Every structure is written in structure tokens, then in C-alpha cells.
Amino acid sequence: MKRNAIYIALASLLAISPAFLNAYWVDVLNSVGMYALLALSLNIILGHAGLFHMGHAAFYAVGAYTTAILNTTFDIPVLWLMPVAGLMAGLVALIVARPIIHLRGDYLLIVTIGFVEIVRIALINNVFGITGGANGIFGIDRPYIFGFKIRKPHEFFYLIWGFMAVTVFLFHRLENSRFGRALNYLREDDVAAEGSGINTTYYKLIAFVLGAVWAGMVGTIYAAKMTIIAPESFNFWESVVMFMIVILGGSGSIRGVILGAFLVIGLPEIFRSMSAVSDLINSLFAHFGVTLSLDFGNFSQARMLIFGAAMVIMMIFRNEGLLPPRPRTYPLDKIREEMP
Amino acid sequence: MLLDVKNLHVKYGTVEALHGINLHVDEGEIVTILGANGAGKSTTLMTISGLLKPSEGEIWFDGKPIHTMPAHKVVEEKLTQSPEGRRVFSTLTVQENLNLGAFTAKNHKRVEETRRWIFDLFPRLKERKSQLAGTLSGGEQQMLAIGRALMNNPRILLLDEPSLGLAPILVKAIFETVAEINKSGVTVVLVEQNAKAALKLAHRGYVMEVGRIVLEDDADALLANPSVREAYLGGGKK
Amino acid sequence: MELFFQQLTNGLAVGGIYALIALGYTMVYGVLKLINFAHGDLFTIGAYLGLTLLSALGLTDRLGPFGVVLALAIMVMGLVAVVGIILERIAYRPLRESHRLSAVVSALGASIFFQNAVMLIYGARYQVYPHDILPKVVIPIFGLNVPLLRILILLTSVVMMAALYFFIQKTKTGTAIRAVAIDQGAAKLMGINVNAVIMIVFLIGPALGGAAGLMVGLYYGQINFTMGWIYGLKAFTAAILGGIGNIPGAMLGGLLLGVIEALGAAYISIAWKDAIAFVVLILILIVRPTGLLGERVAEKV
Amino acid sequence: MSLLTLDNLIKDFGGLRAVDEVSFDVEAGDVFGLIGPNGAGKTTVFNLITGNYVPNQGKVIFNGHVLNGLAPNRIVSMGVARTFQTIRLFKTLSALENVLAGCHCRMTSGSIAAMLKTPFQKREEKEAIKLALAELDFVGLSEDVETRSDSLSYGNQRLLEIARALATQPKLLILDEPAGGMNEQETDALIDIIARIKARGITVLLIEHDMSLVMQACEKLVVIEYGKKIAEGLPEEIKTNKKVIEAYLGTDDDEEEEGETCF
Amino acid sequence: ATIKIGLMCPLTGSWASEGQDMKQIVELLADEVNAKGGLLGKQVEIITEDDAGDPRTAALAAQRLATRDIIAVIGTYGSSITEASQNIYDEEEIIQIANGSTAIRLSEKGLDYFFRSCPRDDEQGKVAVKTLMTMGFKKVAILHDNTTYAKGLADEAKALLKKEPAEIVFYEALTAGERDYSAILTKMKASAPDAVLFTGYYPEAGLLLRQKMEMGWDVPFIGGDATNNPDLVKIAGKKAAEGFFFLSPPVPQDLDSAEAKAFLAAYTKKYNGVPGSVWAVLSGDGFNAIAAAIKATGSTDTKILAKYLHKELKDMPGLTGKLSFNEKGDRVGDLYRLYKVDGKGSFVLQP
Ligand SMILES: Nc1ncnc2c1ncn2[C@@H]1O[C@H](COP(=O)(O)OP(=O)(O)OP(=O)(O)O)[C@@H](O)[C@H]1O
Ligand SMILES: Nc1ncnc2c1ncn2[C@@H]1O[C@H](COP(=O)(O)OP(=O)(O)OP(=O)(O)O)[C@@H](O)[C@H]1O
Ligand SMILES: [Mg+2]
Ligand SMILES: [Mg+2]
């Protein structure tokens, strides 16, 4: 299929990109990748189940802190901690979500915001004496894969985007299953979903848990990549960023969410490099004997302003999101043939 | 001619739902529009009311072009609609819903008279005056929707499936009411699934099929028309 | 006990400001079901505009303290309302028919835009209101010394709330606003000019936010470009606590939030006070899922 | 033994008693009609059966089990399916996926199985699609399998709701005004579908204001008014019941030959 | 070719004012150097990146700077922000001279290329406690704002105070960015301290002073170096600020060295005002140090430069007094001075 060919081409391009990008741009891709992973996990809750969840950074934090604490106190290798971090985040999600799961729309939204704030405040106040307070936790190990230490941006690139490949593969299957459909039913109309025999509370919870597990695992990668984590990395604004990625990209759409991450995380970085852009234009014109002295360099202070405007504009022009989900397809002809 | 719809085309996005509708309504008439589900009856009414904008064609009301007017201006011309699916304001009280029906009315005494008349027509509404409209039963909501539309003292009233979901006794009452409303000088455009009752009541009728008018005639003639009988008056029942 | 009452008044004063911002939040929410995350930034803009006008016009000598405040309030509310209307026109109207969350993201984008615009225009440094505009009168109430301004802030919130409530519940325009909130199409069929109603809403909501910004500037003196975020979040919390879309609810939620914070700080922990406030919020929502005064119309199926 | 028993059900909304000591039995295999004026409490009775509302008093007994307090989805999996008075479809999803929602409660594979694509999961999925297609065929929507449900015509949306309910493989199917918004021809088609549902051995309980449907399809009727049962019996008995005529049917002043079935 | 020096600072976000000041100062100094013919005959080019005051963005900013052929980077403000970038520079062997990152651990990691022109928290903690003791306060309230910096300083002071004949009657954190601290002041007042040590930043300090006066509470307040900002008086008002003590490295205004005077004159001429905070001025010291090292060694090899900074740069006349680094890269010498705000709102250096 043509569409698959495009995806394969894009994926291969991405896979070889570290070869011709410098460490900075590779690290931008790493950042994009991590947020894309986080947003994909949020997408299960927000995009598929339609639960207004603006506190996803909390689960991310649980994962990162679980990793940091266990790694720095017991020296457990960080990658082993990935499932542990995921399970821990999932457990927290289960406990937290249970009493609030019946809240609707905006009430759920504020409660999840409250949750992420409570988590951040708890971390700052060094809850249980293990989170290191505002300093956070430092000295986290780098991950090892088969004895190979991952530290440089391009090495992390393959870790992050490799995990992405696995995630996309699994989530794609998940979306196209009874489970994925069930989430969509309750997003569309949860009274009708219950009336069709779907246990809405159960699915809402599972959506939360699954999203949290993934966010927790990304937390492990983050902890290992930064080697230091602090509460401010998991504040409400981080949750907002993930939220924006999902909605801007197209909620419920894997490719949309990934594109959304490229834009929301990548654009400010591109705006940062505007001086490079102006230099490029200047030199191009110089080539033809025209002297220009464009300088977009002073952009750095205005980059977030432009970013904000860009968000509004993109939303206005693609109000379903950049790449909204496509309807699922079923092999109907094949199945019909089997029918009497 | 009070209402004149000329060559009306309406699109939803890129899909055209009406492919050139021509119809007219004279002062004092009851005109019914029949048609299967999805034929475009509601679309026609919504376009007349100004909620949808035609991609082509014109609508004239009492000598004025109303297809260029915003919906709220059309109401001021005393053309009101009781929409399909009731669409009462669910978290407002019955009373407030009725008040909104008279939103553009200037003459308060007249409004009060109308209100009394509506309460006579639908005593249930009076009983439930301060109940939230959303908690009314389906039928009660339908009464409210019609009552609300009448509050404007319309010159022409568009009714989209007013008998939907009503108990037989009320359906009769509604049709009687429509006749009564008409007698009091209001021109009525009636969209109905209950074709037989509608044709009995109406002076003229149009039959729509997939976005086009396929038949136009006096109501009696339509009642007698074999193809109409087969398609809309139900062959199955004895 | 004195500590308790002192903290109560502290809480009420802060709560009054939360309430005022929350009123604007709730207003916009009630009609458009839009969580206007840029509302906090309109509040910031109000604070900055107030300062600009104050120093540019030099009204202090001519009008006397309360005259100045009144004149400022009117001008700031007017200007912020204009910003609000433009915001609606550009960032929200095109999204009216789309999914609710699209508009939320647009609002977040607008918030980033406003915050950075204020920074670029006014600079990142803290700005300071002159100290001597209003006389520092302290009124003794039951043995507590309460600054007059705090009482004024509280009074303003209460008066605005009452006026707004009356306007929404009792006037014809108010009913129209509520009708638009429920079903815009049906509202049009009643002859209501929906765009005009939404404009009114975006006139009132931001104006209230701007007024709150001015008050914070006047009372606390210190303003900066990020202040809207924290106040916006608090006000949103307050609006939800009271039942979003509900005007007395916003008032109640704001005051309650202020008091919870003050008492939480006093009797439990200052560092945990925001967390305590959120815990209380969550507990209240678990018991009353639509907030304290939120309408609990059981959905008819 | 009757399939469904309502025993002295009471439901209050604030000060309003919407359902007032209603009792009746529905025999297995019947098409049973519940009629009454608007606001009489019919939909509320349905909601009490399906678990959307909890009765203030009284019992709902289905197939020997007391349903009180069970969540709606549990009641569905016990064999009670419903349609809604105001259509509640999953708007952005296709007709097929709407029906698959009904299949859901008869399936078991979860998220892990989906990620691993176990053979069982694949088989189950295929069976569900077959069943869904069959139900769509049954109500006559085989042309619209992949159509988004909100772009179906009103009448077809009603049929789709029925298909979705049937896909839960119910013993009892509850229809709330299935013919609402249908014209006479479409109503005739619906009557046929109800007959075929009955032929499948499924008990049907329905609310309807269209007397032609009620009289043709129902074996037994209960009439309620102001939350109270005012009559119960065979259609012919009900038709001539003075109370019912007064409260619901209206006096037949229609001089037309087809008379009583006009509305 | 040019000699490229990076500047990493918060140009957006909550700390944007610090970053923008840093940018102005470093650019000013670089222009001066260039006007005098540059370094080693080459012009100095400053490459600025925004770290937004956020660790993740800082890591990206550092990666970006690291790819742009810089030999040294000045910045940044905020310890956890600096920390997110430390390893990146170290691995690339780029000299980093932080200016507003006082957390002790930053220089305890044995990084060869890390320096800071600001003092460490323990330094300030010692001075704070000494000051409190010489002033004779027995019951002390400590208030911080839960940021890495303020909490670090508060903890340091708390630990040291325990060894003194003094009692800590109150130890809590406020939330920065709010406006109303009366609840906190009310609670603090109830603990009846002789003096309050506030280790947070000037915006909150200003509000605390003002609200303290409004509630009629007359207790001495002592602030940490983050309160050294002229805006403090603007926020608090002269009357409320009067009598406020704070500790800080000296600002150029208070030094009579030729360097400080010349800098101040140039700054005022170009930007029309005085620098907002001492932290930004410290970034200027960082720049001067690296410039001096390049000049003295005649090299742009970072190994040589680092060695020079560690060992040979001694008592360089900086904008904030004499500057030298120890082997950890920390600035040596007791830098802290005690200031008091007088009735006119000016900061008066205490003897
Ligand atoms: N909002 C909409 N978006 C897209 N298509 C629409 C929309 N509303 C109606 N349509 C389509 O326009 C056509 C006409 O619909 P309309 O509602 O006018 O029919 P109708 O005659 O009123 O039918 P009914 O008897 O079911 O009310 C149908 O094909 C319908 O699917
Ligand atoms: N959630 C609710 N809150 C308050 N009152 C309600 C609620 N649901 C129903 N009612 C009231 O209970 C009564 C019965 O309503 P119900 O919907 O059961 O009527 P119905 O018999 O189905 O009528 P219809 O034939 O018009 O659909 C009505 O008066 C209605 O206003
Ligand atoms: Mg219609
Ligand atoms: Mg009903």
C-alpha cells in the first residue's frame, strides 16, 4: 500500500538520521521521541477513552522517581527498573483513579491537575524522605544494553525510538481490538456503552493504568538520560504539553500524536535556530551577489510568543487535529466469504 | 404568496443535501411536506429559518429576501420554527423556555395573552411551569417546543414532526391545535411522518425524495394518489 | 482563636480575588463550555494595563484616591474586554463547532502568546505599582486589624457576583445567555443573536479578570508576566469547586479555596497548603461530583 | 414462570413520584407492550429494569435473579438489552462497530491478548464480526455496514440500535419507542422485524405510541398513567377500555373507514 | 575566524529577567573586548541560547551550544538547570562558568571544566549564621521557598544554627509566585521569633516586608543573596523595606575598584539603568575570567585554559571584587557582605 510505503520511508529516514545530524538535533529528536511516547500513553486515556486527563506528568514522575530511588540506593541497573517503574506508576494510577473515575469532563480535568500538583508538592517536600526534595535525585546511572553503556545522544536515540517502534506496534494492535473499541464506545457515549454491556468503570480504569504504565517506563528513560531528576521536571505544565500534543496531533491517532510531538517539541527548537536560518538565507543571497543582513537571531526571546501563536493557528486550520484517526478497517470481504 | 422558495441548494460540507427545491406557501395555508427519512425535509426548514445557508437559490418571505438574513433576524419577521427533536433548553424552566420563545416580541400584553392560550392548549405545561425542561418526558417536551414557537405570535409557523413521540390522544390534540392555530390566521408548514393525518389537515402538500420535490398537489389529491398511498400511507395495515 | 479568625480574614481576602477571577472563568465556561486557559493572562494584562494607565495619565492629583481607582477600573475593564473579544474572534470562534478540547488547546496557545507578549512589551522584571494611591486604613473588627482594602476587595467580589447573578438569572439578556449556553441552534430559532451573546460574555468575563488584575496590582503592588498562570489555575479550581458554570458557585468556591489555603497553612503546613487545597477539592468532588452548587440534573436516558 | 417480574416498583424524583407501585409479569416469548400518556413513567420503568435508575422500592426479577442495584452492563450480560428513546449511537463509529459494541459482553479477550494477537483473540474477533454482520443483515442494514452511524437516516439509526441490542444475545429486548419518527411504511417494516425477533425466541418489551404497531405486534399490554398501572390485558381489551381511551387513546371521533388505527 | 563563547541563560520563563540581564552584560563586555581588538587578534563572538529555566530545555540548549565550536560557556542561573547541562559540557571539554548556581554538589563531582563565579550555599550559610549570632538573636524563624537554592541555604543555616546557642522556632516553605503571604506571616508571628531569615528571592521578600508592616509586626528580617535586587524596595515600599538586612556578594555600585566603576558607567550608558541583580553581574565576571585566561595563556585549548583558571588565575579584579578559583572550580574568598536598607531605600553596606 502506498501509505505504508510512506511510513516505511519516513521510519527509515528517521533511523539513519543520526548519521547526518549533529548531537544537538539528535537530542531534539530524543526529546521529541520521549514526548511522543508520553503523548501516546496519554492518548489511550485522553484520545481513545475520552477522559479529560491533564495530570499525566504525575505518572511519568512516579516512574522516574521509582527508577532514581531504586537505582541510587540499591544499584539496580536502570533498564531492569523499566518494568518496575511502569508497574509502580500503574499501581498509583489504579489507586488514584478508582475514586475519581466517575467524574465527568472538566471535573475530572481539575482533579487530575490537582493530582499532578499534589505529586509535585510531595516530591518537593521530600515525602517519606526519599525524593530528595527540591534538589531531586542525582547520580542516576546510565543504562547498559548487553554491557554497552548508553550515554551519547545518538545512542539514546536508538533506545528511545526503538522503544517507540515497540510501542507503536503494540498500541496499534490494541487500538484495533475489542479493547480499543471499548474505549471508543465510552468516549462517544458512556450511557450507551453501559447499555450495550460494557463495564465502563473497568475500562476507564484500565485505560488509566495502561497509560500510566507506559508513562512510568518513559520516566525510566528520562531519569537515565538526565541522570538527575527534580520535581520541576514533572510540573503541571509538562502535563499540559502532553495534552497539547495529543489534541493538536489528532486524538486517537498514533501518527497524529507523533507528528504533534514533532511540532510541539520541535517548533520551539526550530525557532531557537532562527539565526541559523537567517545566516542560511544571507549566504544564499550572497551567492547571487545580493547583500542581505537578515538577523533572526534576536528571536530567542520571542520564540515562545511565536510558538503560542502557531498553536492557535494550527488548531484553527486543523481543528480535528493535524492527522485525525482513520476509521478502523475490517477484512469484511474475507469474513463474508466464510459466512453461509 | 407569503413564502417563496426558489431553486434551493444546500450543502453539508461538500455533500449536497438539497438539489434545487421550489415551493411556495400562501397566506393562511397549511402546507405539508412529506418524505422518507433523510429526504431533506428538516434541511429545508432549517434553511428557511436561516440556520443553514443555501449554496444557491433564494427564499422570499412576504416580499423580502430572507436567505441573506441571519437566523435571528428571520425570527423577527415572525417566521418561527418548532424544530425536530424538540430542542428545548433543558436546564431552563418551562417558564423560561416560553419566555425565550417571545424573545423578540415587543408587545407584553400580547405575550401574556399568548401565554394563557398556550397554557389552555397544554395544561401540562402550566402544571410543570417551574420544572426544568430537561426532566420533562418526551411528550411534555414536544408540547413545550410547540408552545415556545407559538410565543412569538408567528405569521408563519414551521413545524418539524410535531407529533413525534406523542401519545395518540395528544397527536389528535396537536393536529387539532394546528388547525386552530391556522384558523387564528397563522400560516403553517408542517413536516410529518404521520402522512395521513397531515394530508387530512393540510390544504396542499409536497412530496420530497432525496433532496428534490417530486410531487406537488392539493392534499386530497395526494391522499388519493396511489403512489403516495403506497409509499407513505402504509400498505401493510388492515 | 485569634489566630483562627486572623487566618479566616486572610483567607477571605485571597479568596475574594480568586472568586473574582473565577467569575470570569465560569461565565465563559457556562456559555461556551470552554475552559479559557488564557483567562489568567487576561488578568495579567489587566494588571499591566492598570499600571500603564496609572503612570501615563497621572490622574492621582485630580481625582483623589477612590476616584482614580474607579476610573482605572473602568478603563482597564474596557480594554481587557476588548482584548477578550478579539481573543474570542480569532482563537475561539473558528473552533466553535469542533471538539471542545481543540478550543482548550487554542486557549493554551493563546495563553503562551499573551504571557510572552507581556514579557516582550513590558520586560521580564517585576513591575511595581506606586504605594501611595490608596490610603492604608486599617479597620479593627472583633479585635483584628483588617486593612480596608481587603474588605473592599471582598466587597467588590460580592457585589460583582450579585450583579452578575441578577443579570444572568433575571434579565432577558441573561436568559438568552443561558439559552445560548444550552443549544445555540435553538437559541437562534428564538431570535437570539448568538454571536452578540457570546460577545457579551467575552466582554464580561475578561473585564472581570482585568478588574481582578488591577486589584492585585493595587493591593499587593508587585506584578509580573507569569502571575496569571498561578491565579488562573487557582480560579479554575475555585470555579470547579463551586460547580463550574454556576455564578454563586464561583464565589463560594473562591472564598472557600482561600480559606482552605489559609487554614491549611496555619494548622497543617505552609509548604503543603496547595496540596491540601487540592485534596479537599478532590474529596468534595468525590462526594459531590459536580461541585458544591453545580446542577445535578440526572441525565435522562 | 415469567421471564420478567416487576414487583411494586416505586421511583421518586425529588417530590415527583414517576413510578408508583407498578407490578406486572412478562412471559417468555411474548411481545409485551407498555403504553401510557406522555410523562406517565414508561421510560422510567424501563430505566429501572435496565439499571440506569435504582428503584426507591420494589423489585425487578429477571429469570429468577433480582436485578436491583446491579450495574447496567451486568444486567445486559444477564440477557436484557435495550434501545433508547432518544437515539444513542456511537456517532463517529461505523454501523459495524456500533453492533460490535453489543458483541462485546460475549467476548473475553483483553488488552494483553490484543497486543499479543493470540490465536484465540483472532478467532473471537472474527466470530464477533460475523455475528455483527448477521445482525446488520437481520435488520436490513447490510448496505450500510461501513457507514458512520451519524450519517444514517433517522429510521436506520433506530434499526441500528436494535441490531446493537440484538448483538448482546439477549433473552429480553426492551425497545423504547422504536417507531418514533418513522413513517407508516417504515413502521410496517419494523413490525416485521419485531415478529422475526420473536421468532428467534427473544422476548420483547416495548413502549410505543404508534397504535398500529402496538395493536399488530403486541400480545399483551400494560397501560400506566401518572406512574400507576391503570389497565392490563390483551390489545382488544385495552382498545375498548374506557379509562385507557380517556387517558391515552382519545375518543375516536374520526369518521374515516380505517378508523382506530389512524394514529 | 572568531573566538566563540557561549551564553546559556533563561530568556523566557519565570527567570527571564535574570537571563535577559545576563545577556546584556556579557554582550556589553564582549563588545568592549572587541573594540579593543579582541582576544589573540580575533573577535569574540557570543552565542546565546535560551534554557527557559527548565532542566530539559537546558540540556537541549547545552547540546546545541556544544555543536557550535565554543570553547567556554557562561551560565546559567539555577542549580538544577546548570546541573542538567554540566555533563554535556564536560564530555565535550567545554569550560563552563556558572553564575547563579550555588548548590554545593555542583562542584563536588570532580568535573574538570566546571567553574562558578558565585559563592556556594555553605559559604552563605556560614555568614548568615554568624551575622545572626553577632546581632544577638536567640529565637530564629527560617523561611524558604522550596527551590533548590533557597532550601539549600535554609538547610545549611539550620544545621549551623543547631550548633549555636539559638533556637529555631519556625522552619517552613512558602510558595513562590503568590501575592498574599499574610497567612504565613500570621503563623510565623505566633511563634514569636527574634528575627526571620528568609532565604528566597526578592519578589517574595518584598511582599513579605510589606505585608509584615501592614499587620503591624516589627521583627527584623534578614535575607539571602537572592534578595539583592533594587526592585525589592520598589515592591515593599521604602517604609517597609527600611531596616531589612541581607547578605550578598557586593554589587559594582558598592566597590570603588576601577573595573567596577568602568563597568557601571558603560552599562548605564548603554542600557540606561543599573543591573538588576548581582547574579547577572557574576556572569560578567565569568566572561572576564575566561577572557583573562585566553589572554594570559595565548591559547584556546580548553585543557590549558582550565588549568590556568584552576591554578594560576589569582585575585583577578572582577566586577564583584577579586576573583580566584580553587581546584574544585569554586570561587574562593569570603565574598559576602551584609547590607541594610536605609530610609531612602538604598542598600547600605554594613561595616
Ligand atoms: N449535520 C449534517 N451533516 C451532514 N449531513 C447531514 C446533516 N444533517 C442532515 N444530513 C443529511 O442530509 C440529508 C437530509 O436530511 P434531513 O434531516 O433534512 O432529512 P429529513 O427529511 O428531515 O429526514 P427525517 O425524516 O429523518 O427527519 C440526509 O441524507 C442526512 O443524512
Ligand atoms: N431524571 C429525572 N428527574 C426528574 N424528573 C424526571 C426524571 N426523569 C423523568 N422524570 C419525570 O418523570 C415522569 C415520567 O417520565 P418518563 O420519561 O418515564 O415518561 P414516559 O412515560 O416515558 O413519557 P414519554 O412517552 O413522553 O416518553 C415525567 O413527568 C418526567 O418529567
Ligand atoms: Mg427531519
Ligand atoms: Mg419515554
Side-chain angles (χ1 to χ4, degrees), chain B residues 86 124 128 131-132 134-141 165-167, chain C residues 297-301, chain D residues 13-14 16-19 36-45 47 53 85 176-177 207 209 224:
Chain B
R86 299 149 194 164
R124 179 60 71 99
R128 296 288 161 91
Q131 187 174 339
L132 295 185
T135 63
L136 294 176
S137 79
E140 292 162 347
Q141 289 185 14
L166 293 198
Chain C
V297 197
E299 196 181 5
K300 235 185 146 254
V301 289
Chain D
F13 292 112
L16 178 81
R17 179 148 293 185
V19 176
N38 294 110
K42 305 180 294 296
T43 301
T44 309
V45 168
N47 281 327
Y53 294 158
Q85 179 168 1
D176 196 345
E177 290 193 35
I207 294 175
H209 290 305
I224 60 174

Side-chain angles (χ1 to χ4, degrees), chain B residues 35-38 84 86 124 127-128 131 137-140 143 161 164-172 175-176 193-197 200 229-238, chain D residues 16 36-40 85-86 153-156 177 180-186 188 209-212 216 226 245-254 256-258 261-263:
Chain B
N37 279 301
E84 184 179 31
R86 299 149 194 164
R124 179 60 71 99
E127 235 170 78
R128 296 288 161 91
Q131 187 174 339
S137 79
E140 292 162 347
M143 302 176 210
E161 304 202 18
L164 185 70
L166 293 198
I169 191 169
L170 274 171
V171 175
K172 280 175 199 160
F175 279 103
E176 279 160 18
Q193 295 292 358
N194 203 332
K196 190 181 294 163
K200 279 190 181 163
R229 286 187 79 87
E230 183 180 352
Y232 301 104
L233 302 180
K237 60 183 183 179
K238 301 278 114 56
Chain D
L16 178 81
N38 294 110
Q85 179 168 1
T86 38
S153 76
Y154 192 80
N156 282 349
E177 290 193 35
M182 288 185 174
N183 63 30
E184 271 125 290
Q185 196 197 23
E186 290 164 320
D188 288 344
H209 290 305
D210 187 323
M211 281 305 115
S212 70
Q216 287 178 69
Y226 288 115
I245 291 175
E246 203 175 299
Y248 183 63
L249 295 171
T251 43
D252 220 336
D253 52 9
D254 211 326
E256 205 204 345
E257 71 283 2
E258 281 165 330
T261 56
C262 177
F263 298 119

Side-chain angles (χ1 to χ4, degrees), chain E residues 103-294:
Chain E
I104 298 166
R105 66 170 190 272
L106 295 182
S107 54
E108 298 291 335
K109 300 173 175 173
L111 299 177
D112 288 337
Y113 296 93
F114 179 76
F115 299 86
R116 55 178 145 189
S117 55
C118 56
R120 311 202 316 186
D121 288 340
D122 46 357
E123 191 73 25
Q124 193 183 172
K126 269 182 239 158
V127 184
V129 170
K130 215 173 85 194
T131 310
L132 284 168
M133 290 303 101
T134 45
M135 288 176 162
F137 298 125
K138 292 279 171 270
K139 289 162 78 183
V140 181
I142 299 178
L143 183 64
H144 62 94
D145 67 3
N146 246 337
T147 57
T148 318
Y149 157 76
K151 174 122 196 305
L153 178 53
D155 284 344
E156 202 62 39
K158 185 178 169 189
L160 291 169
L161 267 176
K162 286 219 172 106
K163 297 181 200 139
E164 305 284 339
E167 189 192 348
I168 299 166
V169 294
F170 180 93
Y171 182 92
E172 276 254 31
L174 53 73
T175 309
E178 294 187 337
R179 294 290 177 286
D180 199 312
Y181 295 115
S182 21
I184 291 159
L185 286 165
T186 306
K187 186 179 181 188
M188 191 151 62
K189 187 179 177 187
S191 74
D194 295 340
V196 177
L197 174 64
F198 175 64
T199 64
Y201 294 78
Y202 68 91
E204 286 75 37
L207 289 171
L208 284 167
L209 289 173
R210 182 163 165 179
Q211 286 162 25
K212 171 177 80 97
M213 182 186 74
E214 273 164 15
M215 60 189 270
W217 184 27
D218 190 24
V219 67
F221 247 67
I222 299 172
D225 53 17
T227 59
N228 182 6
N229 191 307
D231 287 349
L232 172 100
V233 181
K234 280 207 269 166
I235 295 167
K238 284 183 189 130
K239 211 167 128 223
E242 185 179 357
F244 175 65
F245 292 99
F246 65 88
L247 301 161
S248 172
V251 288
Q253 292 90 309
D254 295 321
L255 296 178
D256 353 276
S257 69
E259 290 74 20
K261 288 219 163 85
F263 166 75
L264 210 56
Y267 187 96
T268 313
K269 184 161 162 240
K270 184 155 181 195
Y271 302 119
N272 198 8
V274 293
S277 92
V278 66
W279 307 104
V281 178
L282 287 167
S283 71
D285 269 344
F287 176 82
N288 283 344
I290 188 72
I294 293 170

Side-chain angles (χ1 to χ4, degrees), chain A residues 31-278:
Chain A
S31 223
V32 168
M34 270 193 305
Y35 277 89
L37 283 166
L38 289 169
L40 282 176
S41 67
L42 175 63
N43 186 37
I44 294 182
I45 307 169
L46 173 64
H48 282 294
L51 299 166
F52 291 10
H53 172 38
M54 229 189 224
H56 209 49
F59 303 133
Y60 179 39
V62 170
Y65 270 85
T66 304
T67 307
I69 292 167
L70 294 180
N71 174 262
T72 52
T73 47
F74 301 110
D75 272 335
I76 307 173
V78 281
L79 284 187
W80 290 20
L81 287 172
M82 215 157 144
V84 182
L87 287 178
M88 193 67 194
L91 190 68
V92 170
L94 192 65
I95 294 166
V96 171
R98 188 64 198 85
I100 59 169
I101 205 77
H102 64 287
L103 294 177
R104 276 166 200 279
D106 309 291
Y107 293 93
L108 186 63
L109 188 85
I110 192 70
V111 165
T112 55
I113 292 174
F115 173 56
V116 74
E117 280 295 280
I118 292 170
V119 167
R120 188 184 60 87
I121 293 168
L123 293 174
I124 286 185
N125 286 303
N126 200 3
V127 67
F128 312 130
I130 53 173
T131 68
N135 286 327
I137 298 176
F138 49 93
I140 303 158
D141 287 337
R142 299 287 197 183
Y144 282 85
I145 287 187
F146 306 124
F148 180 80
K149 185 176 186 180
I150 298 177
R151 52 196 290 213
K152 291 251 153 57
H154 69 266
E155 295 159 1
F156 268 105
F157 176 88
Y158 290 104
L159 177 67
I160 292 169
W161 287 91
F163 186 48
M164 173 78 77
V166 175
T167 304
V168 169
F169 177 75
L170 293 179
F171 282 15
H172 179 75
R173 285 182 158 186
L174 201 61
E175 273 180 18
N176 291 293
S177 71
R178 169 177 180 261
F179 179 84
R181 283 194 305 267
L183 298 188
N184 289 174
Y185 298 143
L186 58 100
R187 175 189 68 199
E188 297 290 315
D189 184 338
D190 62 355
V191 172
E194 274 218 300
S196 310
I198 291 159
N199 187 342
T200 51
T201 309
Y202 171 81
Y203 277 97
K204 285 177 184 175
L205 270 181
I206 293 295
F208 256 102
V209 169
L210 196 67
V213 166
W214 239 262
M217 293 199 285
V218 182
T220 301
I221 299 181
Y222 180 78
K225 183 165 181 298
M226 300 297 281
T227 69
I228 161 203
I229 54 169
E232 64 209 278
S233 303
F234 308 99
N235 60 22
F236 168 45
W237 184 250
E238 292 298 306
S239 304
V240 170
V241 169
M242 297 173 208
F243 191 91
M244 292 199 294
I245 292 173
V246 172
I247 304 298
L248 181 73
S251 59
S253 146
I254 291 180
R255 64 218 162 91
V257 168
I258 295 175
L259 177 65
F262 268 95
L263 291 174
V264 173
I265 302 301
L267 274 187
E269 294 303 320
I270 288 173
F271 293 149
R272 179 203 285 289
S273 314
M274 287 309 271
S275 62
V277 175
S278 57

